[in-house]
Structure formats: structure tokens, C-alpha cells
């Protein structure tokens, strides 16, 4: 009896260790932050295995829970067998059997749940690297069973909670009313409204309207970085690093954030960039920059050509600063000058969408983000003085060409029965 009891106890100890392994792995993997998950990919083979498992988190969690359930059921089955034998053993009796069962339960709770999870959350990245290989093997072993487990869970959920529905999204008017009721400070109320308006605009604005045009960026090939000395901060605070041909932006250097000692080591200060289409929403690009811990997004058109770049600071500034502070920024939108009724003077980098909103018209030009782009598409060449293009009921005309772009006149064309003094021949007396 003693020999058999020791065999059962060794089996229970082994099961407690296995349960602790899976419980700790669950706590470690699912307490990682986004930045920790990104670092796993650079932590060698085990880090890449861990990142691959996290890419399919539902499968990983199902496998961990399946193994934990199987191990715990086996543990309690063995504990029941040993408890029954102790109950019928003359030297033990019912009291010893009950005590053994309670002790078995407490051991499982403490050593396979509380302790491993408490340790795992203290250093989740290290734990993930340690358990990545054996956990990956365990997931592969139960892989064929997981689809059945997922289907069963879905069926049970629909059977038990058939009437659950997702809650509707919060209406923006409700948020604004909550802001008004939450403070009596007029200045604070105005700032909160401004931020709310900026958040709404960020979800509606295309990133092409916020980007800094390629002609406004300071580009430097990787081969020339070692000898580069900057006399002033680049536009936007970032030096863009390109390949040898200059066709691709491969990295960005946050010059405005570097310490003086780092200005001699640009190669070590390079940060990766992401690429985004011009038509993507600013909110989507912001989420991607935040998730991947990047600062710069390179904006491309449908042909993969680089149009410009936008930084995460540009997007945040658009949200948290007053509208008048954006008028002088070269972020694809300049001030729109109203000369007189139905006559405007705008810079070529003005957002076509912003101008349409100002004129209260609807433009359906796809692939064009600036007013100069509208003229370029219509004439199929770079804008020159005298070039014209229609915009709904208005006429666009290039009136002045300067180093950084062109000035464009936006006006309502005169009716056919009204003489056009600008285009009519001069009458001499």
C-alpha cells in the first residue's frame, strides 16, 4: 500500500508541475504589451516561435486551456483513487481521506495556479522565451482537436446566450453632452470640444491631407549618413534615409529628439518606417504607428510612388491644437485666402478636400489630394502659370509659380453674356 501510494503521489506532483507550466505560460503570453511582442521577433529562434504562437492567440489559448483541463481532471481522478483507498484502509480512515483530498485541492490551487502566474507576470518576456519551444510542441500535439473544441464552445455559447447583442457605439452628440455636463470651466470646455472635434476629423481625414510632401522632406542616402552634418533641424524634425537610388525611404532619424552626443552617429539613431496608401484614414495610420512602435509613415500612391511622409506627432498635433495653428503648417493644407465673394487664392498644396468643404461642393476626384494635383491631372503635366481646370462649378487657374509650388485662383466663371475683361482684347482709342 505504501509503495502504491508513493507512485500515486509522484504522479500527482508531476501533474502539478505540468499544470503550473501551462498556467504560467498563459499568464506570461497574455500579459505582454505590444512593444514586448515586437521585441520577441528579434530575440532569436525561441522569440520567433513565441511571436508566431501569439499571432494566433485564439489557438494558443485553446491549447493551453485544453491541456490544463486534461491535467487537472487527471490529478483529481488520482486524488479520488488515493482518497478512496485511504478511507478503506484500517490504519487511515475517513478523516485522513478527507484531509488528503483537501490538501490535494490546496496544493493544486497554490502551486499550479497562484504561484506560477504571480511569477510569470513579473518577467513575462523571459518566461515566454523559456517556455516557447515546449509550449509550441504541446500546441502542435493537440492541434487536430482544437477546431472541434472551438466549434463546441461556439455551439454552447449560442445555446446558452442566444439573445446577447453587441452594444451600439457611443454617439458623438452623447459624448459632447457628457463634456458639457462634466465641467463648468468655459476654457476647459472649449479645449475638450476642440479635442473631440480633432478626434472626429482624424477618423474621417485621409492621411494624404496631413502628409508633408516629398519635396518638403530632407532626404539622405544611407551611404552619405556618416559624413552628414546638419546646420538646422529638418522639416518635421526627421531626416529621411533613402536607398542608393532615392526611390525608397528605408528609415527615419528623429533629429529633434537626439542628444548632442548622438548627432555624430546617425546610423545608430535610425528608426524603421511604415508604408501607408494616401487614401488610408489618419486614425488607421495612427493605430498602426502605435502598434508597431514607429514614428514615421511614408505615404505612397496606387503605383507605389512616394508622395510624402507623416509623423505620429503631426497626427497628434492635428488633434490637440487649435485649428488656426494648422493654417501655416506645410502638411498638405495651407490657408485659403478669400479675396472677394466667390474668388479665392490658395496655395497648390492646399488639400482638395479642405477646399471642397470651404466651397461647399463635392469633388469626386480619386487619387488626388491637393488642388495642384487637380490641375496636374486635368492637364496631364506639372502645373504652369495659365493652366486651368474645372472644380464642380468653379474654375481653377494657376496665377503664380514660386520655388516651393504654385498659387491658384479659384473663381466662378463669368456667364456667357458677361464680358470677361481679363481675356478680352485691349481697346485703343
Amino acid at each position: 500500500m505504501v509503495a502504491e501510494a508513493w507512485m500515486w503521489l509522484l504522479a500527482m506532483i508531476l501533474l502539478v508541475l505540468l499544470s503550473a507550466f501551462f498556467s504560467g505560460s498563459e499568464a506570461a503570453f497574455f500579459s505582454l504589451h505590444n512593444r514586448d511582442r515586437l521585441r520577441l521577433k528579434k530575440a532569436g529562434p525561441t522569440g520567433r516561435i513565441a511571436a508566431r504562437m501569439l499571432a494566433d492567440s485564439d489557438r494558443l489559448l485553446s491549447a493551453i486551456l485544453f491541456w490544463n483541463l486534461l491535467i487537472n481532471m487527471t490529478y483529481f481522478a488520482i486524488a479520488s483513487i488515493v482518497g478512496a483507498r485511504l478511507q478503506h484502509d484500517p490504519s487511515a480512515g475517513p478523516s485522513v481521506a478527507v484531509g488528503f483530498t483537501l490538501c490535494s485541492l490546496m496544493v493544486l490551487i497554490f502551486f499550479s495556479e497562484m504561484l506560477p502566474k504571480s511569477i510569470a507576470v513579473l518577467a513575462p518576456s523571459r518566461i515566454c522565451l523559456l517556455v516557447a519551444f515546449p509550449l509550441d510542441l504541446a500546441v502542435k500535439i493537440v492541434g487536430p482537436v482544437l477546431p472541434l473544441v472551438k466549434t463546441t464552445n461556439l455551439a454552447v455559447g449560442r445555446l446558452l446566450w442566444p439573445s446577447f447583442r453587441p452594444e451600439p457605439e457611443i454617439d458623438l452628440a452623447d459624448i459632447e453632452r457628457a463634456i458639457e455636463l462634466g465641467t463648468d470651466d468655459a476654457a476647459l470646455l472649449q479645449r475638450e470640444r476642440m479635442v473631440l472635434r480633432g478626434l472626429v476629423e482624424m477618423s474621417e481625414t485621409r492621411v494624404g491631407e496631413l502628409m508633408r510632401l516629398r519635396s518638403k522632406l530632407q532626404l539622405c542616402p544611407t551611404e552619405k549618413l556618416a559624413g552628414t552634418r546638419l546646420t538646422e533641424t529638418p522639416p518635421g524634425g526627421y531626416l529621411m534615409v533613402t536607398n542608393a537610388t532615392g526611390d525608397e525611404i528605408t528609415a527615419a532619424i528623429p533629429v529633434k529628439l537626439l542628444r548632442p552626443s548622438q548627432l555624430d552617429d546617425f546610423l545608430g539613431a535610425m528608426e524603421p518606417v511604415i508604408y501607408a496608401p494616401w487614401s488610408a484614414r489618419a486614425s488607421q495610420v495612427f493605430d498602426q504607428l502605435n502598434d508597431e512602435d514607429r514614428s514615421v509613415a511614408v505615404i505612397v500612391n496606387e503605383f507605389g510612388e512616394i508622395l510624402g511622409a507623416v509623423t505620429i506627432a503631426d497626427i497628434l498635433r492635428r488633434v490637440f491644437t487649435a485649428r488656426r495653428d494648422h493654417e501655416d503648417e506645410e502638411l498638405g493644407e495651407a490657408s485659403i485666402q478669400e479675396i472677394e465673394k466667390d474668388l479665392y487664392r490658395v496655395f497648390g498644396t492646399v488639400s482638395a478636400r479642405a477646399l471642397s468643404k470651404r466651397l461647399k461642393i463635392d469633388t469626386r476626384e480619386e487619387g488626388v489630394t491637393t488642388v495642384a494635383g487637380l490641375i496636374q491631372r486635368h492637364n496631364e503635366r506639372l502645373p504652369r502659370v495659365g493652366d486651368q481646370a474645372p472644380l464642380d462649378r468653379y474654375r481653377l487657374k494657376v496665377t503664380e509659380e514660386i520655388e516651393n509650388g504654385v498659387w491658384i485662383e479659384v473663381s466662378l466663371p463669368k456667364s456667357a453674356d458677361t464680358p470677361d475683361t481679363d481675356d478680352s482684347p485691349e481697346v485703343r482709342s
Side-chain angles (χ1 to χ4, degrees):
M1 176 63 187
V2 175
E4 290 184 3
W6 275 111
M7 291 178 59
W8 290 118
L9 290 176
L10 288 175
M12 292 175 67
I13 293 174
L14 178 60
L15 291 171
V16 167
L17 294 176
L18 289 174
S19 181
F21 168 79
F22 286 106
S23 297
S25 300
E26 177 189 356
F29 272 90
F30 292 96
S31 62
L32 289 174
H33 299 291
N34 289 332
R35 294 186 178 182
D36 296 328
R37 297 188 180 194
L38 293 173
R39 294 192 188 100
L40 284 178
K41 298 179 181 179
K42 305 176 183 179
T46 55
R48 288 192 291 271
I49 292 174
R52 175 170 52 80
M53 288 190 291
L54 276 172
D56 192 355
S57 57
D58 289 341
R59 185 170 184 267
L60 174 62
L61 181 60
S62 298
I64 291 176
L65 295 178
F66 179 86
W67 276 111
N68 238 341
L69 179 61
L70 181 62
I71 291 169
N72 292 343
M73 289 177 61
T74 306
Y75 177 87
F76 283 116
I78 294 176
S80 299
I81 292 173
V82 175
R85 295 192 176 186
L86 288 174
Q87 184 175 1
H88 294 91
D89 190 340
S91 60
S95 58
V96 176
V98 173
F100 174 80
T101 304
L102 292 176
C103 289
S104 300
L105 176 62
M106 297 304 298
V107 167
L108 185 68
I109 293 175
F110 182 78
F111 287 101
S112 69
E113 292 293 335
M114 297 176 60
L115 183 62
K117 288 185 176 181
S118 300
I119 296 175
V121 296
L122 295 177
S125 299
R126 294 182 181 179
I127 299 297
C128 289
L129 295 177
L130 290 175
V131 304
F133 182 76
L135 185 60
D136 183 50
L137 181 61
V139 173
K140 290 179 179 178
I141 291 174
V142 298
V145 186
L146 294 180
L148 178 61
V149 175
K150 185 176 181 180
T151 303
T152 304
N153 288 336
L154 181 61
V156 172
R158 290 183 176 179
L159 180 63
L160 298 180
W161 302 284
S163 60
F164 279 8
R165 295 289 184 274
E167 294 184 0
E169 296 182 359
I170 300 177
D171 188 78
L172 292 176
D174 295 335
I175 298 178
E176 189 166 0
R177 282 195 295 271
I179 292 175
E180 292 178 355
L181 296 174
T183 178
D184 295 329
D185 189 333
L188 179 59
L189 179 60
Q190 182 64 26
R191 288 194 294 270
E192 289 177 341
R193 283 181 174 175
M194 178 192 68
V195 172
L196 176 61
R197 189 180 303 113
L199 289 172
V200 174
E201 288 184 359
M202 186 172 71
S203 64
E204 298 176 347
T205 304
R206 290 174 178 172
V207 72
E209 301 177 31
L210 302 182
M211 70 179 182
R212 183 170 280 102
L213 298 176
R214 179 171 180 167
S215 59
K216 307 292 184 181
L217 302 175
Q218 185 168 346
L219 308 176
C220 180
T222 308
E223 297 77 8
K224 298 182 180 180
L225 273 181
T228 300
R229 295 292 182 271
L230 298 178
T231 57
E232 58 183 13
T233 303
Y238 286 83
L239 176 65
M240 303 299 171
V241 183
T242 67
N243 56 4
T245 60
D247 297 331
E248 180 181 353
I249 296 178
T250 58
I253 300 175
V255 177
K256 62 180 181 180
L257 302 179
L258 297 181
R259 299 187 298 272
S261 60
Q262 294 178 296
L263 295 177
D264 297 329
D265 183 22
F266 282 151
L267 288 173
M270 290 193 304
E271 296 181 357
V273 298
I274 67 171
Y275 277 78
W278 67 270
S279 57
R281 303 298 178 187
S283 56
Q284 296 172 330
V285 177
F286 177 82
D287 289 339
Q288 186 177 355
L289 287 170
N290 188 49
D291 291 342
E292 300 186 20
D293 193 23
R294 302 287 187 259
S295 299
V296 177
V298 179
I299 311 304
V300 296
N301 61 14
E302 58 270 26
F303 304 109
E305 300 169 336
I306 296 176
L307 301 178
V310 64
T311 69
I312 196 169
D314 293 334
I315 300 175
L316 290 175
R317 188 182 302 115
R318 184 61 173 256
V319 175
F320 291 105
T321 58
R323 173 61 55 212
R324 62 177 179 273
D325 294 338
H326 300 309
E327 293 183 351
D328 297 328
E329 293 184 0
E330 298 173 342
L331 295 175
E333 180 178 338
S335 58
I336 301 175
Q337 304 172 6
E338 184 173 3
I339 307 301
E340 58 185 57
K341 189 178 186 303
D342 295 329
L343 178 62
Y344 300 86
R345 185 171 184 264
V346 301
F347 196 62
T349 55
V350 168
S351 163
R353 179 173 176 269
L355 178 60
S356 299
K357 290 175 64 176
R358 179 69 175 270
L359 300 178
K360 298 180 180 180
I361 60 176
D362 181 25
T363 175
R364 301 184 181 277
E365 291 286 349
E366 295 293 336
V368 177
T369 61
T370 63
V371 179
L374 293 172
I375 296 179
Q376 180 176 343
R377 167 169 287 190
H378 181 76
N379 295 276
E380 297 184 351
R381 67 180 185 186
L382 293 176
R384 303 174 186 174
V385 175
D387 284 353
Q388 300 184 28
L391 179 63
D392 196 77
R393 63 181 185 275
Y394 287 85
R395 182 192 65 177
L396 308 178
K397 182 178 179 180
V398 180
T399 58
E400 183 181 353
E401 186 174 356
I402 59 176
E403 181 181 357
N404 294 329
V406 295
W407 282 99
I408 299 170
E409 179 185 272
V410 183
S411 62
L412 280 175
K414 295 180 173 61
S415 59
D417 56 349
T418 303
D420 191 341
T421 56
D422 293 336
D423 298 332
S424 59
E426 182 179 359
V427 178
R428 299 179 181 273
S429 56

